[in-house]
Amino acid sequence: MASDLDGVDIIIGGHSHSVVESAKKGENVVTSKTGKPVVITQAGENGKYYGLLDVEFDAKGVITKVCNQLVQLSSKKSPTIEYIKEQKRLRQEQIRKEKQEKKKADECVSLINSTFRSGIRNTLMNQPPEKRLETFQEFTKQATQVLNLTNVKLELENLGASTMGGLNPETNVFTLNAAMIACDNPELMEEQVFTVIHELTHKRQFDAIRDSANGKPIDKYGYSERQIYEFARNWKCYIQPRENYEWYRKQPLENAAYGFEDMVKAKYYGINF
């Protein structure tokens, strides 16, 4: 293959698990179709070796010197290899949890569509205020089930014009601003739906913190141990939006909650996320 290529200087194999060391013309140093040298190497299989390949080029980008070595690893664990394995494990865990989050977001969107069949704004605008409050109570109840949550108590109160609502993690009381539901502003009412998702995400975070501290399984929450550790630290020094809104949004608890809320919004509005 190397003799049919142009513009390739080095080929590192993998599938055949071959052990290729040193640099020998006609064997693993061959000529491309334009007459330039191509180095071929491979470091065996299963982490038995690691390869060191040093290549020098001239001003025209042509290989002039090659030093190809394989170092056999001892039976002792290599810190480098172990680090690579751990990074791979963490990446696989991250991918798995991202899929888990996307599945939860899809379930939330399905719930929104089944609750607000004519769309959030149209459904709520066609309901009297008392019916809207009932709709939000039922939606919150169903959303807690979708997110595998328990012991959530919803309270509807008039909180003024400055807040959508909030969760008290000590009492598990979720307060939603009834004034914004009862008003005839479709944009505010729609935003309240996503506030439910946002605050219930906080409930999921705090449940994960508690279960982790008590040695209980945490896989169902979709967060890594590192994330839960950061959530717990963040709660001890939580930044209120009135203190610094930029840092409020960036802190781990809010960054994750807004991230999930935005994912649900994007899926609901049909935006690629």
Side-chain angles (χ1 to χ4, degrees):
M1 180 179 72
S3 60
D4 296 326
L5 297 175
D6 181 26
V8 175
D9 300 303
I10 299 169
I11 297 175
I12 299 178
H15 183 69
S16 65
H17 297 173
S18 303
V19 176
V20 181
E21 53 186 333
S22 70
K24 300 177 181 177
K25 289 185 178 181
E27 294 185 11
N28 68 317
V29 179
V30 296
T31 303
S32 70
K33 69 177 184 179
T34 55
K36 297 179 181 179
V38 179
V39 179
I40 304 170
T41 189
Q42 190 172 164
E45 61 180 333
N46 298 325
K48 295 177 182 177
Y49 302 88
Y50 68 83
L52 296 173
L53 177 64
D54 290 319
V55 180
E56 293 183 8
F57 296 85
D58 64 16
K60 296 181 180 180
V62 178
I63 293 175
T64 58
K65 186 177 180 180
V66 178
C67 180
N68 182 37
Q69 299 178 346
L70 291 183
V71 179
Q72 187 170 7
L73 298 175
S74 67
S75 58
K76 296 180 180 180
K77 292 184 177 180
S78 163
T80 302
I81 297 299
E82 292 304 308
Y83 173 78
I84 293 172
K85 288 181 178 179
E86 177 63 11
Q87 292 303 306
K88 180 180 179 181
R89 184 191 70 79
L90 291 174
R91 177 56 182 159
Q92 290 174 336
E93 180 184 14
Q94 180 184 356
I95 292 172
R96 180 175 64 83
K97 292 189 180 300
E98 285 175 355
K99 290 181 179 179
Q100 193 173 344
E101 283 288 274
K102 290 179 180 179
K103 181 180 178 181
K104 285 294 178 188
D106 287 336
E107 292 173 355
C108 287
V109 172
S110 295
L111 175 61
I112 292 172
N113 289 331
S114 64
T115 304
F116 307 96
R117 295 185 180 276
S118 300
I120 297 173
R121 299 189 182 192
N122 288 337
T123 299
L124 292 173
M125 287 297 291
N126 288 324
Q127 293 178 345
E130 297 78 12
K131 178 60 177 176
R132 293 175 196 165
L133 296 177
E134 292 177 8
T135 299
F136 269 91
Q137 288 175 325
E138 182 60 26
F139 174 69
T140 302
K141 179 181 176 181
Q142 295 296 325
T144 60
Q145 296 176 7
V146 167
L147 296 173
N148 298 322
L149 303 174
T150 57
N151 302 321
V152 180
K153 181 181 179 182
L154 174 64
E155 293 185 355
L156 297 167
E157 297 182 7
N158 291 327
L159 303 176
S162 61
T163 181
M164 306 296 287
L167 173 77
N168 185 328
E170 305 300 330
T171 63
N172 292 325
V173 173
F174 169 33
T175 305
L176 202 58
N177 193 340
M180 292 188 179
I181 298 172
C183 75
D184 287 328
N185 185 324
E187 184 176 347
L188 285 179
M189 289 190 289
E190 184 174 68
E191 192 58 36
Q192 283 293 72
V193 172
F194 296 108
T195 297
V196 172
I197 300 298
H198 183 101
E199 297 302 330
L200 291 182
T201 300
H202 281 321
K203 176 66 166 64
R204 186 160 54 124
Q205 293 168 334
F206 287 112
D207 283 355
I209 291 172
R210 280 189 283 268
D211 282 357
S212 177
N214 293 325
K216 296 181 180 180
I218 57 173
D219 188 67
K220 67 179 180 179
Y221 298 111
Y223 301 123
S224 66
E225 293 180 3
R226 179 66 186 179
Q227 278 181 297
I228 296 173
Y229 170 75
E230 290 177 350
F231 292 159
R233 287 190 62 190
N234 183 188
W235 182 236
K236 293 179 180 179
C237 52
Y238 185 81
I239 302 170
Q240 296 291 343
R242 63 179 177 273
E243 297 175 299
N244 186 312
Y245 188 76
E246 180 182 357
W247 286 106
Y248 156 77
R249 288 291 298 257
K250 288 182 177 180
Q251 61 190 330
L253 286 166
E254 294 300 338
N255 185 53
Y258 276 109
F260 185 71
E261 177 188 346
D262 289 344
M263 186 186 299
V264 173
K265 282 182 175 179
K267 289 177 177 288
Y268 175 74
Y269 294 126
I271 303 171
N272 291 330
F273 189 83

